[in-house]
Amino acid sequence: MTRLPDPQDPLFVRLNSSLRFDRRLWPQDIAGSKAHLGALRKLEVIDDDELRTLDEGLDAVAAELEAGRFDFQGSDEDIHMAVERRLTELIGPLGGTLHTARSRNDQVATDLALYLRERATQARRLIVALMGRLLELAQAHRDWRMPGYTHLQRAQPVYLGHHLLAYFWMLERDEIRFAAAAGSTMAMPLGSGALAGLNWDVDREATAAELGFARPSPNSIDTVSNRDFALDYLHAAAVCAMHLSRLGSELVIWSSDEFGFCEPADAFASGSSIMPQKKNPDAAELLRAKAPRVTASLTRLLGVLHALPLAYAKDLQEDKEAVFDAVDTIELSLEAADAMLGGLRFNRERRDGGRD
Amino acid sequence: MTRLPDPQDPLFVRLNSSLRFDRRLWPQDIAGSKAHLGALRKLEVIDDDELRTLDEGLDAVAAELEAGRFDFQGSDEDIHMAVERRLTELIGPLGGTLHTARSRNDQVATDLALYLRERATQARRLIVALMGRLLELAQAHRDWRMPGYTHLQRAQPVYLGHHLLAYFWMLERDEIRFAAAAGSTMAMPLGSGALAGLNWDVDREATAAELGFARPSPNSIDTVSNRDFALDYLHAAAVCAMHLSRLGSELVIWSSDEFGFCEPADAFASGSSIMPQKKNPDAAELLRAKAPRVTASLTRLLGVLHALPLAYAKDLQEDKEAVFDAVDTIELSLEAADAMLGGLRFNRERRDGGRD
Amino acid sequence: MTRLPDPQDPLFVRLNSSLRFDRRLWPQDIAGSKAHLGALRKLEVIDDDELRTLDEGLDAVAAELEAGRFDFQGSDEDIHMAVERRLTELIGPLGGTLHTARSRNDQVATDLALYLRERATQARRLIVALMGRLLELAQAHRDWRMPGYTHLQRAQPVYLGHHLLAYFWMLERDEIRFAAAAGSTMAMPLGSGALAGLNWDVDREATAAELGFARPSPNSIDTVSNRDFALDYLHAAAVCAMHLSRLGSELVIWSSDEFGFCEPADAFASGSSIMPQKKNPDAAELLRAKAPRVTASLTRLLGVLHALPLAYAKDLQEDKEAVFDAVDTIELSLEAADAMLGGLRFNRERRDGGRD
Amino acid sequence: MTRLPDPQDPLFVRLNSSLRFDRRLWPQDIAGSKAHLGALRKLEVIDDDELRTLDEGLDAVAAELEAGRFDFQGSDEDIHMAVERRLTELIGPLGGTLHTARSRNDQVATDLALYLRERATQARRLIVALMGRLLELAQAHRDWRMPGYTHLQRAQPVYLGHHLLAYFWMLERDEIRFAAAAGSTMAMPLGSGALAGLNWDVDREATAAELGFARPSPNSIDTVSNRDFALDYLHAAAVCAMHLSRLGSELVIWSSDEFGFCEPADAFASGSSIMPQKKNPDAAELLRAKAPRVTASLTRLLGVLHALPLAYAKDLQEDKEAVFDAVDTIELSLEAADAMLGGLRFNRERRDGGRD
């Protein structure tokens, strides 16, 4: 998105700039650029010395970003522009060579695919940890009798371990769903250009391999218009958040005076100055409340893509905030659920008692 | 859901009855019951004669349903009750044996899983057919030059075949997504009972094998509360409908006087009595307009499940209308897209012309 | 939407036909046509005799529809076409005069506006009835002590009457919201033609007055593209359904063995054959479960309208099923909530007891 | 939400803290506290000197916040706690008196109501400005002929002024909707306490009048659970954003080479380094793309409130980010639309030409 002769209107700058949120893609942007250098070398666009200069330049930029020393400027519309601007400051006009055989359109799709593959993997890790916690709790309470409910009415007696494992199996499906979402990111966008592919005979297989993609994407027009891999991540996150909302909801009910099945740790609860007897299960409530937020991210991106003509359109820039909010929400929720369950105290008597 | 002593209020009957929509599950309900007979035989709940009587009774009920001769009654709350009521009319009290070692809660989950596995397979078939159509069209127009667009601005020249294949690859991903949705249905709910499993030592592996499931579901509390397989189908359908909305949107734009790239067949268009020159691309518009409907089915079910305590709750009955509407919408859209593309006429001159 | 020379493809017919759902607009369609006759008379398009013939013809069509004797035909794409086809059968080619100075585009918008004004009024009636029920219950239980909750933890003692009146005030806001939605329907679309207004000098004020509109709509291009009044109805319905979901959710919790605050009437509950002690609050659960469905109707229509170019587009046909489902759902929910509350029995001891 | 004996878990702190987003409510929080001082004086909880000290203390805190000099601390969970903590640092234990006859639950509802009343008013201002812009443009192009479209097919000739005014009238309805949303904020929550009202005989009418509310809210349990006023704002914003998406969509189509009806100013467009002929209507695309985001905020809050038991629950904290994102999005969109239209150049020839 080169600048036109006239300056941008300040309102357009505010509407248009994505730097405040897409800066988190810097590691993927740097990695993609470093892999691209190999392609440029093979094309003999750059020689070995230039490759080394560019590579070291990118390392220097990465080091500044890593250390929080990077000086973002008002004219940096997005992270791609910021990295290239800084690279050119550091190593001179050679920095502009990165443009060759690459467009912002395939670059941003590549960055987001790399990012979501990592986040899907991280979600799987957090899910496995939470499954482990549930297994441990289920084991410890495997013979604690409790009422099993349908319609929130006591139906048949079950064991607490049995009930807790219901969440284990929901999470196992979530893990599979995130694995599928990671799989959706495996076709490399780079090489699609702005929409029509490249006039350069680049070795896309080599770049794909270097970046951990399974293959180059097959159709350039589709590639720069495609955000399916983000939708798949958001679906996995929405279903997982819904599962956690059911867990949160049950813990809120179980923590009530009337049920009295469990009590949250102080570290995950709040009290009340005017009602000192109270211990509110705030963390469980927040877990319950997060699901509609993740669902909203999913429908938001589906809404942006609805009826959108091919190929790249600026509308696609609306993908990132939806994705980032979902990533942050689901990762924090999974971690917090794990820790909260660790501090939960179940109450043996209350669960056996009641009217049954 | 047995009746209580007092009669149901007519308003509750209207709120509660699902027969008007769940009757389409009868083939799955009959199949599930027939498979359940084998389990009852092994348990020696029924002998060989009784098994034969029940089996033939179910065939007779199925024949009536198939032929549209089945006499639904006001007291039939749902398809499960209707089938059992009719079976008992036909073969006497023995019909009630089907209750043994089964609950409405695992039965309805089984029916829906079987149904969605079939619909996912059908969606895959329709997708493959539409992919074939696109391949054929792309082949026929592989060297027709047209402007490639970004931001709906002419960017770089491409071939019409290249552009059409963008949709081929979207659909390929849809096919994979529906395959995953089918995979989500492979754990058999039967045997979970109302929520706590069964006191009978049923051979779930055998029943699962007979019904085409890969395995029995591992946790009964999770199983009767779980609708993940429906969410996975709805996600696949929502993304697919979004792809078709982009196709519809492009065909509407391409059919405008200004673009003039193509013209719909009369059979997929409407005219105007007061504006005889007009030919409206109604089918393309409707294709475009369906995506938010399918997305709404997905968010509706995610909303129902949000914060819902385990195990079975009546809220889950809200799953079916959302699912059925999505099934009907996506299947009709895929078929109509295929036929509409078959009648589309591309205009060679207009695509090459213009200001470029 | 006149037919083009070639016959419509059967798949297009299925995708396109709206008769199966828009037939419920017949009273509004007849009323709009009858009012239109006056305009045609003033324009001297018809004379007094013709006006009488047309008016009586419309009455005859209405009588057939009212009595369920109307013979819908496969070629009737929508209710407007069906009415006109039948009118012409009954009174001859004169029936076609109704076309003059009217388009399907302003006709359908008028029908839907009339319909939603009536349904908004009906929703207000049902809300007022439910408010009356709550007032009566609150009066009867005004001094019944119960725990007041925050975070579902017992916080401060309140009276049951106080708690029940919380719903009274939610509903008062709903009533205001539906009144605003009715207000949104007060600009009459008729006279906007297909999009560009009419070449006839019709007396729109007179027609508006006859149909109960406050004024003719000011801009024809906006008018045929506008569905804001439907969105306002859907918002009112979605918020009201959310309020009812909170009531349903509380009644489910209060009906649990652990809370034991109330017990639903048999007429609004279900039992269990294998668990005879159970009484499930099905009606309360269904009330809880309906809100996401109404929200989905709202987002579905917002999604259809997103990015839609002016003026009329076929996509707008997707408005009606979303609206009708929301109308049916909210009206039934309000009625059922009223009746269910009428049968509810509160339990004095349980509410005072507990750990407090 | 007082702290319990044990320290909060860092993960709970991250999940729970709302300070990073709710700090924008500081002006409303200060205003609410200053009005509360009057109530405390009447109750003789404080004397004239104390009132003056507290009032000046709040002014000092406000001055620090205004100037960006306020030192937020890690232990400040939310803006209410931050203000009170700082006040107590400045004026000593007297600062704690603000707690008297007030709860966090009625305080936060009051702050949000005050905030949304201001934002609704600001939205109305921006809408009126944009309406003025459209009126001016319509006036300047009142006799410029252009094709009127249905189904994106040329239907009947209209004037550009007529078409532009379609948006004027959409915005007029938006203005009414935001006025209704402002009206929804007119019942003052303060005085509802945590949920059960107060044991103090406070003069709520006086405080309401001072803060610009029309009346005190009638039911304390409803009040601390109620976010209808936020839903009404979000509905107004979602419909308005949808209108702007239609404007954006039309400008994108009109800016295409094929339509050529208009050209965006450089200040609201982007170019391309490899395709120097291009001028992309980025601002129009972003305007189009924002609507699903605002709809998502609406459905997110409806989702949080779904099935939520009364009275206050921590889930309600999820209201603010949804609201703030919608406020920022709609205000920026309205401003940017106004400025973008100011720079738009319509092309007289192209609109008259074409195949007609």
Side-chain angles (χ1 to χ4, degrees):
Chain A
M1 330 281 153
T2 314
R3 297 291 172 76
L4 296 164
D6 287 351
Q8 296 187 326
D9 186 281
L11 282 165
F12 178 55
V13 171
R14 282 174 57 202
L15 194 66
N16 189 49
S17 171
S18 58
L19 185 64
R20 94 186 162 279
F21 49 84
D22 71 11
R23 61 173 68 182
R24 74 159 79 182
L25 292 179
W26 74 260
Q28 291 77 29
D29 201 67
I30 298 278
S33 289
K34 291 179 69 119
H36 187 51
L37 293 181
L40 294 177
R41 181 66 197 89
K42 281 193 200 160
L43 292 172
E44 304 195 1
V45 170
I46 51 175
D47 62 24
D48 281 344
D49 281 353
E50 289 168 328
L51 185 144
R52 199 175 324 108
T53 306
L54 282 158
D55 197 63
E56 291 171 2
L58 286 168
D59 283 340
V61 174
E64 291 184 7
L65 284 157
E66 179 82 55
R69 287 186 288 103
F70 190 96
D71 187 21
F72 288 105
Q73 301 192 354
S75 56
D76 295 336
E77 274 180 31
D78 55 35
I79 185 64
H80 324 294
M81 191 178 277
V83 166
E84 187 188 312
R85 189 257 312 150
R86 182 63 183 140
L87 179 65
T88 304
E89 287 172 6
L90 291 174
I91 67 166
L94 177 65
T97 324
L98 268 179
H99 263 326
T100 310
R102 194 170 64 164
S103 153
R104 198 80 61 85
N105 298 352
D106 58 356
Q107 186 181 358
V108 69
T110 302
D111 288 5
L112 192 62
L114 287 171
Y115 173 79
L116 279 175
R117 193 180 315 146
E118 291 174 29
R119 297 337 300 173
T121 303
Q122 174 64 2
R124 293 172 69 188
R125 257 186 236 117
L126 295 171
I127 286 171
V128 168
L130 181 53
M131 289 171 76
R133 172 78 70 180
L134 283 161
L135 204 54
E136 189 183 286
L137 282 175
Q139 178 71 11
H141 302 85
R142 67 185 176 285
D143 59 352
W144 288 38
R145 294 186 60 228
M146 70 174 279
Y149 294 83
T150 60
H151 308 265
L152 209 61
Q153 296 286 310
R154 295 184 172 201
Q156 295 170 321
V158 297
Y159 294 108
L160 178 53
H162 183 176
H163 193 117
L164 290 169
L165 286 179
Y167 290 101
F168 175 93
W169 293 105
M170 292 183 214
L171 288 162
E172 201 224 26
R173 293 193 297 272
D174 291 329
E175 200 272 337
I176 293 171
R177 219 170 266 112
F178 276 110
S184 293
T185 68
M186 293 305 278
M188 183 187 70
L190 267 188
S192 300
L195 84 151
L198 302 170
N199 291 323
W200 301 85
D201 187 25
V202 289
D203 183 353
R204 295 182 74 204
E205 266 79 10
T207 311
E210 186 172 343
L211 288 169
F213 287 98
R215 59 191 172 282
S217 67
N219 182 292
S220 62
I221 294 175
D222 170 44
T223 298
V224 296
S225 315
N226 172 36
R227 291 298 182 272
D228 281 16
F229 55 90
L231 294 171
D232 289 341
Y233 179 94
L234 291 171
H235 174 62
V239 178
C240 183
M242 177 273 287
H243 291 153
L244 296 177
S245 83
R246 298 182 82 170
L247 176 60
S249 178
E250 292 216 305
L251 294 180
V252 169
I253 292 172
W254 290 5
S255 301
S256 67
D257 297 287
E258 288 75 10
F259 275 75
F261 286 7
C262 65
E263 185 182 325
D266 286 9
F268 290 91
S270 73
S272 165
S273 52
I274 44 173
M275 297 167 278
Q277 87 285 4
K278 284 195 73 182
K279 192 173 188 181
N280 301 318
D282 290 58
E285 292 174 284
L286 288 165
L287 216 56
R288 177 176 66 181
K290 295 292 184 187
R293 174 180 194 142
V294 186
T295 294
S297 283
L298 171 58
T299 56
R300 177 174 156 185
L301 185 52
L302 277 166
V304 168
L305 293 164
H306 171 234
L308 194 65
L310 310 185
Y312 182 82
K314 189 72 180 191
D315 309 60
L316 293 171
Q317 179 168 300
E318 279 289 310
D319 58 354
K320 271 174 282 302
E321 285 164 289
V323 161
F324 295 160
D325 192 77
V327 166
D328 293 345
T329 302
I330 200 66
E331 293 188 3
L332 179 54
S333 294
L334 284 164
E335 275 197 274
D338 188 354
M340 178 185 60
L341 285 174
L344 202 64
R345 197 168 57 78
F346 289 101
N347 181 343
R348 188 152 200 160
E349 286 92 66
R350 294 281 298 183
R351 287 190 347 281
D352 282 341
R355 282 203 254 170
D356 266 9
Chain B
M1 328 286 152
T2 313
R3 297 290 171 75
L4 296 164
D6 288 350
Q8 294 187 326
D9 186 281
L11 282 164
F12 178 55
V13 170
R14 284 174 58 202
L15 193 67
N16 189 48
S17 171
S18 58
L19 184 64
R20 92 186 164 280
F21 50 83
D22 71 10
R23 58 174 69 182
R24 73 159 78 183
L25 292 178
W26 74 258
Q28 291 77 27
D29 200 66
I30 298 278
S33 289
K34 290 178 70 118
H36 186 51
L37 294 181
L40 293 178
R41 180 69 195 88
K42 280 192 200 159
L43 293 171
E44 304 196 1
V45 170
I46 51 174
D47 62 25
D48 282 343
D49 281 351
E50 290 169 327
L51 183 145
R52 198 173 326 110
T53 306
L54 282 158
D55 197 63
E56 290 171 3
L58 286 167
D59 284 339
V61 174
E64 291 183 7
L65 284 157
E66 178 82 56
R69 287 185 288 105
F70 189 96
D71 187 23
F72 288 106
Q73 301 191 354
S75 54
D76 295 335
E77 274 179 31
D78 55 33
I79 186 63
H80 324 294
M81 191 179 278
V83 166
E84 186 186 313
R85 189 255 313 148
R86 182 62 183 141
L87 179 66
T88 305
E89 286 172 6
L90 290 175
I91 66 165
L94 178 64
T97 324
L98 270 178
H99 264 327
T100 310
R102 194 170 65 166
S103 153
R104 198 81 61 85
N105 298 352
D106 58 357
Q107 187 180 356
V108 68
T110 303
D111 288 5
L112 193 63
L114 287 171
Y115 173 80
L116 280 174
R117 193 181 315 146
E118 292 174 29
R119 297 339 298 173
T121 304
Q122 174 63 2
R124 294 171 69 189
R125 262 186 232 116
L126 296 170
I127 286 170
V128 168
L130 181 53
M131 290 171 76
R133 172 79 70 181
L134 284 160
L135 203 55
E136 191 182 284
L137 281 175
Q139 178 71 9
H141 303 85
R142 66 187 177 284
D143 60 353
W144 288 36
R145 295 185 60 228
M146 69 173 278
Y149 294 84
T150 59
H151 309 265
L152 209 63
Q153 296 286 311
R154 294 182 173 204
Q156 295 171 320
V158 297
Y159 294 108
L160 177 52
H162 182 176
H163 193 117
L164 290 169
L165 285 179
Y167 290 101
F168 176 92
W169 292 105
M170 291 182 213
L171 289 162
E172 201 222 27
R173 293 193 296 272
D174 291 329
E175 202 270 337
I176 292 170
R177 219 170 265 113
F178 276 109
S184 294
T185 69
M186 294 304 278
M188 184 185 70
L190 268 188
S192 301
L195 85 150
L198 302 171
N199 290 323
W200 302 86
D201 187 24
V202 290
D203 183 352
R204 296 182 73 202
E205 266 79 10
T207 311
E210 187 173 340
L211 289 169
F213 287 98
R215 59 193 172 282
S217 67
N219 182 293
S220 62
I221 294 175
D222 169 43
T223 298
V224 297
S225 315
N226 171 36
R227 293 297 182 270
D228 282 16
F229 54 91
L231 294 171
D232 289 341
Y233 179 94
L234 291 171
H235 174 62
V239 177
C240 183
M242 178 274 285
H243 290 153
L244 296 178
S245 84
R246 300 182 81 169
L247 176 60
S249 179
E250 293 217 304
L251 293 180
V252 169
I253 292 172
W254 290 5
S255 300
S256 67
D257 297 286
E258 289 74 10
F259 276 75
F261 287 7
C262 65
E263 185 182 324
D266 286 9
F268 289 92
S270 72
S272 165
S273 52
I274 42 172
M275 298 167 276
Q277 86 286 3
K278 285 195 71 179
K279 192 173 187 181
N280 301 319
D282 290 58
E285 291 175 284
L286 288 166
L287 215 57
R288 176 175 67 182
K290 295 293 184 188
R293 175 181 195 142
V294 186
T295 295
S297 282
L298 171 58
T299 55
R300 178 175 155 185
L301 186 51
L302 277 166
V304 168
L305 294 164
H306 169 234
L308 194 64
L310 309 186
Y312 182 82
K314 189 73 181 189
D315 310 58
L316 293 172
Q317 180 168 300
E318 280 289 309
D319 59 353
K320 273 174 279 304
E321 286 164 287
V323 161
F324 295 160
D325 192 77
V327 165
D328 294 345
T329 301
I330 200 65
E331 293 189 3
L332 179 54
S333 294
L334 285 164
E335 275 198 272
D338 188 354
M340 179 185 60
L341 286 175
L344 203 65
R345 200 168 57 76
F346 289 101
N347 181 344
R348 190 151 199 161
E349 285 91 65
R350 294 282 298 186
R351 289 188 347 278
D352 280 343
R355 280 203 256 172
D356 264 11
Chain C
M1 328 285 153
T2 313
R3 297 288 172 74
L4 296 163
D6 287 352
Q8 295 186 326
D9 187 281
L11 282 165
F12 178 55
V13 170
R14 282 174 58 202
L15 194 67
N16 189 47
S17 172
S18 58
L19 184 65
R20 93 186 162 278
F21 50 83
D22 71 11
R23 60 175 66 184
R24 75 159 77 184
L25 292 178
W26 74 260
Q28 291 76 29
D29 201 66
I30 298 277
S33 289
K34 290 179 70 119
H36 187 50
L37 293 181
L40 294 178
R41 180 67 197 90
K42 279 192 200 159
L43 293 172
E44 304 195 1
V45 169
I46 53 174
D47 62 24
D48 282 345
D49 280 352
E50 290 170 327
L51 184 145
R52 199 174 325 110
T53 305
L54 282 158
D55 196 63
E56 291 171 5
L58 286 167
D59 283 341
V61 174
E64 292 184 7
L65 284 157
E66 178 82 54
R69 289 186 287 104
F70 191 96
D71 187 21
F72 288 105
Q73 301 191 355
S75 55
D76 296 336
E77 274 180 30
D78 54 34
I79 187 63
H80 324 294
M81 191 178 277
V83 166
E84 187 187 313
R85 190 256 312 150
R86 183 62 185 141
L87 179 65
T88 305
E89 286 173 6
L90 290 174
I91 67 166
L94 178 63
T97 324
L98 269 179
H99 264 327
T100 310
R102 194 172 63 167
S103 153
R104 198 79 63 85
N105 298 352
D106 57 357
Q107 187 180 355
V108 68
T110 302
D111 288 5
L112 193 63
L114 287 171
Y115 173 80
L116 280 175
R117 193 181 313 146
E118 291 174 29
R119 298 337 300 173
T121 303
Q122 175 63 3
R124 294 171 69 190
R125 260 187 233 117
L126 296 170
I127 286 170
V128 168
L130 182 53
M131 290 171 76
R133 173 79 70 183
L134 285 160
L135 204 54
E136 191 184 283
L137 282 176
Q139 178 72 10
H141 303 86
R142 67 186 177 284
D143 59 353
W144 287 38
R145 295 185 61 226
M146 68 174 280
Y149 293 84
T150 59
H151 308 266
L152 208 64
Q153 295 287 311
R154 295 182 172 202
Q156 294 170 321
V158 297
Y159 294 108
L160 177 53
H162 183 176
H163 193 117
L164 290 169
L165 286 179
Y167 290 100
F168 176 93
W169 293 104
M170 292 182 211
L171 288 162
E172 201 222 27
R173 293 192 298 271
D174 291 328
E175 201 272 335
I176 293 170
R177 220 170 264 114
F178 275 110
S184 294
T185 69
M186 294 305 278
M188 183 186 69
L190 267 189
S192 301
L195 84 151
L198 302 171
N199 291 323
W200 300 86
D201 186 24
V202 290
D203 183 353
R204 296 181 72 202
E205 266 80 11
T207 310
E210 188 174 341
L211 289 169
F213 287 100
R215 60 193 173 281
S217 67
N219 182 292
S220 62
I221 293 174
D222 168 44
T223 298
V224 298
S225 315
N226 172 35
R227 291 296 182 272
D228 282 15
F229 54 90
L231 294 171
D232 289 342
Y233 178 93
L234 291 170
H235 174 63
V239 177
C240 183
M242 177 274 285
H243 291 152
L244 297 177
S245 83
R246 301 181 79 170
L247 177 60
S249 179
E250 293 216 305
L251 294 180
V252 169
I253 292 172
W254 291 4
S255 300
S256 68
D257 296 286
E258 289 74 10
F259 276 75
F261 286 8
C262 65
E263 185 182 324
D266 286 9
F268 290 91
S270 72
S272 165
S273 53
I274 42 173
M275 298 167 275
Q277 87 286 2
K278 283 195 73 181
K279 194 174 188 182
N280 301 318
D282 290 59
E285 291 175 285
L286 288 166
L287 217 56
R288 176 176 67 181
K290 295 292 184 187
R293 174 181 195 142
V294 186
T295 294
S297 282
L298 171 58
T299 55
R300 177 175 156 186
L301 185 52
L302 277 166
V304 168
L305 293 164
H306 170 235
L308 194 64
L310 309 186
Y312 182 81
K314 189 72 180 188
D315 310 58
L316 294 171
Q317 179 168 299
E318 279 289 310
D319 58 353
K320 272 175 281 302
E321 287 165 287
V323 161
F324 295 160
D325 192 77
V327 166
D328 293 345
T329 302
I330 200 66
E331 293 189 3
L332 179 54
S333 295
L334 285 164
E335 274 198 273
D338 188 353
M340 178 185 60
L341 286 175
L344 203 64
R345 200 166 57 75
F346 289 100
N347 183 342
R348 189 151 200 160
E349 285 90 67
R350 295 284 295 187
R351 291 192 340 283
D352 281 342
R355 282 204 254 172
D356 266 10
Chain D
M1 328 285 152
T2 313
R3 296 291 172 76
L4 296 163
D6 286 351
Q8 295 187 325
D9 186 280
L11 282 165
F12 178 55
V13 171
R14 282 174 58 203
L15 194 67
N16 189 48
S17 171
S18 57
L19 184 64
R20 92 187 164 279
F21 49 83
D22 72 11
R23 61 173 68 182
R24 74 159 78 183
L25 293 178
W26 74 259
Q28 291 77 27
D29 201 67
I30 298 276
S33 290
K34 291 179 69 120
H36 187 53
L37 294 181
L40 293 178
R41 180 69 195 88
K42 280 193 200 160
L43 292 172
E44 305 196 0
V45 170
I46 52 175
D47 62 26
D48 282 344
D49 281 353
E50 290 169 328
L51 184 145
R52 197 174 326 109
T53 306
L54 282 159
D55 196 64
E56 290 171 2
L58 286 168
D59 284 339
V61 174
E64 291 185 7
L65 284 157
E66 179 82 57
R69 288 186 285 106
F70 190 97
D71 186 22
F72 288 105
Q73 301 191 354
S75 56
D76 297 335
E77 274 180 30
D78 54 36
I79 185 64
H80 324 293
M81 191 178 276
V83 166
E84 187 186 314
R85 188 257 313 150
R86 181 63 183 140
L87 179 66
T88 304
E89 286 172 5
L90 290 174
I91 67 167
L94 177 64
T97 323
L98 269 179
H99 263 328
T100 309
R102 194 169 66 163
S103 153
R104 198 81 61 86
N105 297 352
D106 57 357
Q107 187 181 357
V108 69
T110 302
D111 287 5
L112 192 63
L114 287 171
Y115 173 79
L116 280 175
R117 193 181 314 147
E118 291 173 29
R119 298 338 299 173
T121 303
Q122 174 63 1
R124 294 171 69 188
R125 260 186 233 116
L126 295 170
I127 286 171
V128 168
L130 181 53
M131 289 172 75
R133 173 76 71 179
L134 284 161
L135 203 55
E136 191 183 284
L137 282 175
Q139 178 71 9
H141 303 86
R142 67 185 176 285
D143 60 353
W144 287 38
R145 294 185 60 226
M146 70 173 279
Y149 294 84
T150 59
H151 307 266
L152 209 64
Q153 296 286 310
R154 294 182 172 203
Q156 295 170 321
V158 296
Y159 294 108
L160 177 52
H162 183 176
H163 193 116
L164 290 170
L165 286 179
Y167 289 101
F168 175 92
W169 293 105
M170 291 182 214
L171 289 162
E172 201 223 27
R173 292 192 298 272
D174 290 329
E175 201 272 336
I176 293 170
R177 220 170 264 112
F178 275 110
S184 294
T185 68
M186 294 303 280
M188 182 184 73
L190 268 188
S192 300
L195 84 151
L198 302 171
N199 290 324
W200 301 85
D201 187 23
V202 289
D203 183 353
R204 296 182 72 203
E205 266 78 11
T207 311
E210 186 172 343
L211 289 169
F213 287 99
R215 59 193 172 282
S217 67
N219 183 294
S220 62
I221 294 174
D222 170 44
T223 297
V224 298
S225 315
N226 172 38
R227 292 298 183 270
D228 282 15
F229 54 91
L231 294 172
D232 289 341
Y233 179 93
L234 291 171
H235 174 62
V239 178
C240 183
M242 178 273 287
H243 291 153
L244 296 177
S245 85
R246 299 182 81 170
L247 176 61
S249 178
E250 293 216 304
L251 293 179
V252 169
I253 292 172
W254 291 4
S255 300
S256 69
D257 297 285
E258 289 74 12
F259 275 76
F261 287 7
C262 63
E263 185 182 326
D266 286 10
F268 290 91
S270 72
S272 166
S273 53
I274 42 172
M275 300 166 275
Q277 86 286 2
K278 284 195 74 180
K279 192 173 188 183
N280 300 318
D282 290 56
E285 292 175 283
L286 288 166
L287 215 56
R288 177 175 66 182
K290 296 292 184 187
R293 174 181 195 143
V294 186
T295 294
S297 283
L298 171 57
T299 56
R300 177 174 156 186
L301 185 52
L302 277 166
V304 168
L305 293 164
H306 170 234
L308 194 64
L310 310 186
Y312 183 82
K314 189 73 180 190
D315 309 61
L316 293 171
Q317 179 167 301
E318 280 290 308
D319 58 354
K320 272 173 280 303
E321 285 164 289
V323 161
F324 295 161
D325 192 77
V327 165
D328 293 345
T329 302
I330 200 66
E331 293 189 3
L332 179 55
S333 295
L334 284 164
E335 275 198 273
D338 188 355
M340 178 185 59
L341 286 175
L344 203 64
R345 200 168 55 77
F346 289 101
N347 181 344
R348 188 152 200 160
E349 285 92 67
R350 295 282 297 184
R351 289 191 344 280
D352 282 342
R355 281 202 254 169
D356 264 9

